[in-house]
Amino acid sequence: MKFVRVAETAREAVTLTVDGAPVAALAGDTVLTALRLAGLPLRHSEFGDGARAGFCLMGACQDCWLLVDGRRARACQTPVAPGMAVATHG
Ligand code: FES
């Protein structure tokens, strides 16, 4: 699934880190949106069947759990914040 931003490009810039690397986002994006716009997977499947990108994008499927500032969070339900640290494994 490829994400492309087509609107609302004038929102405030936000930088978070994903596995220690900086990722640019815009205020109001979810963590899922930020990672997918950056071309990153959300995580790798614990069952060995590859990278995951989320499925429902609305908090129902449980496919997007990550660690956000050390706490488990659903990427599709978590808004980005400046300096936020996301870990896709661990
Ligand atoms: S993508 Fe389904 S719960 Fe987040």
Side-chain angles (χ1 to χ4, degrees):
M1 174 182 346
K2 181 176 181 177
F3 280 34
V4 176
R5 190 183 304 279
V6 295
E8 299 184 35
T9 57
R11 285 185 272 136
E12 181 182 348
V14 172
T15 301
L16 56 151
T17 62
V18 179
D19 298 329
V23 169
L26 297 182
D29 287 350
T30 65
V31 171
L32 186 149
T33 301
L35 270 68
R36 297 304 302 137
L37 283 170
L40 299 170
L42 295 183
R43 62 183 182 87
H44 289 274
S45 171
E46 59 271 43
F47 303 108
D49 55 351
R52 309 300 299 171
F55 182 72
C56 71
L57 314 183
M58 61 181 201
C61 75
Q62 314 294 316
D63 192 47
C64 65
W65 287 103
L66 300 172
L67 290 178
V68 176
D69 292 333
R71 305 173 84 172
R72 288 189 74 213
R74 283 179 286 194
C76 71
Q77 300 292 295
T78 305
V80 297
M84 172 183 273
V86 175
T88 63
H89 49 77

